[in-house]
Amino acid sequence: MTHPTKEVEPLPDNPDRDLSWTLDSLHGFCRKDGLEDGNRHLSWSLGTFPDRWMYLNFIFHYFTPHDTDADKWIGSGIRCDRQTITVPIGGPRGRATFIEQRVWFSVRTATAYDDSRAPDLAKRLLKGPATLGFVLDDVLHHPIRMTQKDWEMRGLEPVKGASGVTAFQMLLWGGVDEWSRRWNACLDYVDRLHEVQIEDIDGSDPEKLNDLMFDPRGSLAKKYFVTAHLLKIFRRHIDVLPRSLQQMRSKWQSTYPGVDSDLLERFDNPTQLTLLKNWSRLVDHAGALHEKLAHRIEKRSGELLNLRNTLLLARATVRN
């Protein structure tokens, strides 16, 4: 992933590690603080070198249920410390733990750069692949789908001279889908902690039924309250992705607007317009999935707070 055209002396004890283009994202992926904590947001980055090379980075994050009793790291490499949330809403020993996970998409790609000062660029390009990238995940292998059918279904357009950029856009589309799936799996787990079983309400255990109806110890109302606010915390984390993706698109548009652009060395106007159209479609797709997650959270948290209020009213009625 080093810069393929950088001239260095290959010393055995100090090999070239020119990864400056990705250090911000490496920091964002590895640090325990949130991607938007502090003065710099590290969920995305893009930039260019003063030649044909360009880099693009994006980091997704989500929370997943975490079994602390079965915490045995079986992956390779170094495991990064992540944020954890532990709340008394059920699960092992009455407490549920959720741990943050991150996925980092990174691409370094050569574009059709026109530089009359470097006539041997085509030869120099052979020093490295025209596009090189990786996906780094905390836990699982991240599936990559980039068949012709995927291009057609998603409505993204490949562009000659910018194939690395469009490949990155395709990677992000798949990343958005996986991000949505993993957040929904987390919310499914929270829902299961509040499921009422048939044996809880069939009268076979009068004490349990009475607890569900009147919550004499207040534990159920507390559980509903804590869960509702846990979901609101999740909502703030979910909001990061569409905001970050929109920021990345805006940065791209400010550099390559597609109309009356002053920067034509890398992409001509038609190419810029196509890439911008792809960015817009990707942002819209992420926005649609985010809206579904946000609606699910708002609906469920509202239901839980209503249940809590009903229980508090029932307890007050019984006391009177």
Side-chain angles (χ1 to χ4, degrees), residues 130-320:
T131 297
L132 189 63
F134 62 82
V135 181
L136 190 60
D137 198 325
D138 275 329
V139 180
L140 304 173
H141 170 70
H142 189 89
I144 296 177
R145 297 172 52 193
M146 208 174 294
T147 65
Q148 182 61 38
K149 184 178 180 180
D150 293 320
W151 285 98
E152 294 171 355
M153 290 179 60
R154 296 170 179 178
L156 300 181
E157 298 182 44
V159 186
K160 185 178 181 180
S163 58
V165 178
T166 54
F168 181 76
Q169 292 170 332
M170 281 287 285
L171 285 174
L172 289 192
W173 190 291
V176 169
D177 288 342
E178 189 67 11
W179 167 86
S180 174
R181 187 190 69 79
R182 295 187 186 187
W183 267 116
N184 274 300
C186 179
L187 299 179
D188 288 343
Y189 176 82
V190 174
D191 284 345
R192 287 195 297 271
L193 294 177
H194 294 273
E195 288 181 349
V196 176
Q197 306 299 324
I198 293 178
E199 55 269 23
D200 297 333
I201 59 175
D202 63 3
S204 59
D205 188 339
E207 183 177 353
K208 180 174 290 187
L209 180 59
N210 186 71
D211 288 345
L212 288 173
M213 293 173 60
F214 302 108
D215 190 27
R217 291 178 292 275
S219 58
L220 200 54
K222 177 182 178 181
K223 180 179 179 181
Y224 291 156
F225 177 84
V226 172
T227 304
H229 285 276
L230 170 68
L231 292 175
K232 291 180 182 295
I233 291 173
F234 284 165
R235 168 65 192 271
R236 293 199 295 270
H237 284 278
I238 287 171
D239 290 345
V240 171
L241 183 137
R243 181 167 57 242
S244 298
L245 201 56
Q246 181 60 56
Q247 290 170 355
M248 192 173 194
R249 180 200 178 280
S250 297
K251 174 66 174 179
W252 182 276
Q253 185 177 17
S254 67
T255 308
Y256 306 109
V259 179
D260 299 327
S261 176
D262 295 328
L263 297 174
L264 299 177
E265 297 91 348
R266 198 174 299 275
F267 306 120
D268 58 23
N269 276 321
T271 298
Q272 292 185 29
L273 284 172
T274 301
L275 293 174
L276 194 57
K277 180 182 177 182
N278 283 353
W279 280 117
S280 297
R281 188 164 181 81
L282 177 60
V283 168
D284 290 344
H285 177 61
L289 294 181
H290 168 265
E291 185 177 356
K292 291 179 180 179
L293 284 169
H295 176 73
R296 178 178 179 179
I297 285 176
E298 292 301 319
K299 179 181 178 182
R300 187 56 174 155
S301 60
E303 291 172 348
L304 290 169
L305 289 176
N306 286 336
L307 286 171
R308 171 188 178 259
N309 294 336
T310 300
L311 286 174
L312 293 178
L313 180 61
R315 288 179 63 195
T317 302
V318 170
R319 288 175 180 175
N320 294 334

Side-chain angles (χ1 to χ4, degrees), residues 15-43:
D16 177 29
R17 302 296 185 190
D18 179 28
L19 295 176
S20 59
W21 58 274
T22 194
L23 288 179
D24 281 349
S25 294
L26 180 62
H27 181 202
F29 180 81
C30 293
R31 74 176 185 176
K32 188 173 183 179
D33 291 340
L35 295 170
E36 292 191 330
D37 291 348
N39 297 326
R40 301 176 63 204
H41 293 181
L42 301 177
S43 56

